[in-house]
Amino acid sequence: MQKTVYLDNNATTAVAPEVVEAMLPFFKTQWGNPSSLHTFGSSTRRHLDEAREKVAALIGAADASEIIFTSCGSESNNMAILGAASAMGGRPHVLTSQVEHSAVLGPCGKLEKEGCRVDRISVDGGGQLKLNTLNEILAESNNPLLASFMWANNETGVIFSVAELAAQIHGAGGLFHTDAVQAVGKLPINMQEVPVDMLSLSGHKLHAPKGIGALYVRRGTRMDPLMLGGHQERARRAGTENVPYIVGLGKACELVLEKMGGDTLRATQQRDRLEAGILATCKGAGVNGDPASRLPNTTNISFEHLEGEGTLLMLDDICVCVSTGAACESGSIEASHVLKAMDVPRSRMQGAIRFSVGRYTTDAEIDFVLEQLPPIIQRQRELSPRTND
Ligand code: PLP
């Protein structure tokens, strides 16, 4: 069977072998409950603390106590937005963007239904926030502000200027959350240099397993818990801690810190070579998203007048994994809300494919895709009724 060429690392990543090794003892022998009074259970607490230190180190948090373990990035986003809104008295003016992940748009929509004003700021053709619109809205806002702007977009890789945005929201007396699920592990992040109050991250985007995430909450930030019950995570998230996965996330964060320099350089070179090769060999191909401010591993390419699903399936036939948009949203033929917000022309919107390289992508795999893709696009064009327009 042909080996899988996995170019969908923004959807999820392979669990690093070092992470699996680090987790195994907590399934096999050290499976106690960290809240137990006996030594067998309580001795696992040290490992939770160590993992918390490692996550804090990766994002430059001042104190490990600012890290709350959650089940995923979606939970972290929900907890930040709904928990902060509740602590603010339940009726903040919510600011977000049109291109956020559904795990941010969902809780913002819930707050809107409950009576909050929610403004979803539009973006320009490159996927960057329209700052004029944001400034106008800020000038006429008179409620306490709660802002949530993503650090990097999952579909295009476009990076928002989070430090400046957070400073602006703080200047207006507001609270700032960022969905950094795609940024953590790919970009250097230092919470002591950016005035962000809350930051979401997800293990499975950085070579830890699915089912573990974290929310950074800056000391002093008020946030009500969503999950009530036990006093775990300093009473901010009830539930017996998922020790093996927390240990895995800690190990994955440690590995990112060790490998980030090399991983980023290789990802950028592979992404750039892939992108340049595709643009040179595939008729009607064009990149979506501001190339000057993009994640190092991501390129979103539209093939004019084609259906992305068709291209994806033909690549799948030769075991090449890509995405037509956010993985959790594909399966529906709806065009991507991100590309729609960027006003990508209809002729290019349906044909968009996201390629996202990762730590284990090889140069040979990039060569393989560069060789296989042009005939696939050519064949798609022959099958497409719009070939000649
Ligand atoms: N936010 C962004 C930007 C994402 O890309 C994703 C996952 O694709 C999420 C949030 C949700 O993370 P999780 O899958 O851990 O719930």
Side-chain angles (χ1 to χ4, degrees):
M1 206 181 85
Q2 200 196 312
K3 196 174 158 283
T4 297
V5 174
Y6 189 76
L7 298 184
D8 202 12
N9 286 274
N10 286 9
T12 197
T13 57
V15 181
E18 300 93 325
V19 168
V20 176
E21 280 305 311
M23 289 169 65
L24 283 177
F26 300 92
F27 290 113
K28 288 181 170 171
T29 50
Q30 294 168 260
W31 41 262
N33 185 332
S35 298
S36 294
L37 291 182
H38 48 72
T39 313
F40 178 67
S42 63
S43 62
T44 58
R45 179 149 301 282
R46 180 170 64 82
H47 300 280
L48 290 186
D49 294 341
E50 277 173 17
R52 208 181 301 278
E53 295 279 352
K54 288 174 186 173
V55 177
L58 177 61
I59 60 168
D63 200 292
S65 65
E66 295 173 314
I67 305 296
I68 304 173
F69 291 114
T70 65
S71 66
C72 60
S74 299
E75 183 188 331
S76 302
N77 286 341
N78 275 267
M79 187 190 264
I81 295 166
L82 301 177
S86 164
M88 288 166 94
R91 286 270 192 284
H93 176 187
V94 180
L95 291 172
T96 187
S97 82
Q98 289 184 352
V99 296
E100 300 295 315
H101 191 272
S102 49
V104 163
L105 295 173
C108 290
K110 176 173 160 56
L111 291 176
E112 192 170 40
K113 280 199 191 114
E114 291 169 1
C116 292
R117 171 176 171 188
V118 177
D119 283 299
R120 299 164 185 84
I121 314 295
S122 50
V123 296
D124 63 20
Q128 286 294 355
L129 266 192
K130 287 190 179 157
L131 294 178
N132 287 347
T133 313
L134 176 62
N135 292 337
E136 282 163 21
I137 290 172
L138 280 177
E140 40 113 342
S141 174
N142 40 27
N143 265 22
L145 285 171
L146 171 60
S148 180
F149 291 104
M150 67 202 319
W151 199 302
N153 190 275
N154 43 308
E155 294 191 35
T156 58
V158 169
I159 298 169
F160 282 167
S161 304
V162 163
E164 285 82 0
L165 288 168
Q168 196 176 2
I169 298 298
H170 272 188
L175 209 58
F176 191 93
H177 164 254
T178 184
D179 174 354
V181 162
Q182 292 293 342
V184 176
K186 298 181 186 126
L187 300 173
I189 288 183
N190 188 338
M191 296 312 287
Q192 285 166 76
E193 290 173 358
V194 289
V196 163
D197 302 298
M198 295 173 285
L199 172 147
S200 302
L201 65 94
S202 173
H204 74 103
K205 310 290 185 181
L206 45 96
H207 302 289
K210 292 160 225 9
I212 184 71
L215 178 66
Y216 161 88
V217 183
R218 190 177 293 278
R219 184 174 281 179
T221 306
R222 291 187 53 227
M223 193 202 68
D224 289 342
L226 293 190
M227 197 90 92
L228 304 173
H231 282 82
Q232 291 88 355
E233 301 298 290
R234 299 165 150 246
R236 292 177 297 186
R237 193 217 187 231
T240 302
E241 298 90 341
N242 186 348
V243 180
Y245 280 52
I246 290 172
V247 168
L249 178 60
K251 184 67 191 178
C253 289
E254 182 180 71
L255 287 173
V256 168
L257 267 185
E258 257 172 59
K259 293 176 186 285
M260 178 148 348
D263 278 359
T264 304
L265 186 65
R266 201 181 44 255
T268 312
Q269 286 169 348
Q270 288 175 338
R271 189 274 312 270
D272 288 351
R273 196 160 69 80
L274 179 70
E275 184 175 278
I278 292 173
L279 296 183
T281 54
C282 299
K283 211 177 114 196
V287 175
N288 298 312
D290 176 7
S293 182
R294 238 185 346 168
L295 289 174
N297 77 320
T298 309
T299 180
N300 185 307
I301 301 184
S302 276
F303 299 91
E304 206 164 24
H305 297 311
L306 296 186
E307 289 285 343
E309 271 74 10
T311 310
L312 181 145
L313 292 175
M314 281 180 158
L315 284 170
D316 191 40
D317 279 345
I318 55 166
C319 301
V320 174
C321 306
V322 296
S323 172
T324 52
C328 39
E329 278 157 8
S330 66
S332 83
I333 207 89
E334 256 295 282
S336 136
H337 72 287
V338 175
L339 299 185
K340 261 192 207 161
M342 287 162 65
D343 245 338
V344 171
R346 232 192 130 55
S347 59
R348 291 163 44 96
M349 194 140 59
Q350 297 285 2
I353 295 284
R354 177 186 71 187
F355 301 86
S356 47
V357 304
R359 181 179 296 160
Y360 305 116
T361 305
T362 65
D363 289 344
E365 289 172 339
I366 300 293
D367 291 339
F368 179 74
V369 175
L370 285 174
E371 185 189 295
Q372 298 291 324
L373 187 63
I376 285 179
I377 297 296
Q378 181 56 35
R379 174 132 178 75
Q380 284 258 92
R381 292 214 174 283
E382 285 159 12
L383 296 172
S384 160
R386 291 202 191 101
T387 306
N388 297 319
D389 63 16

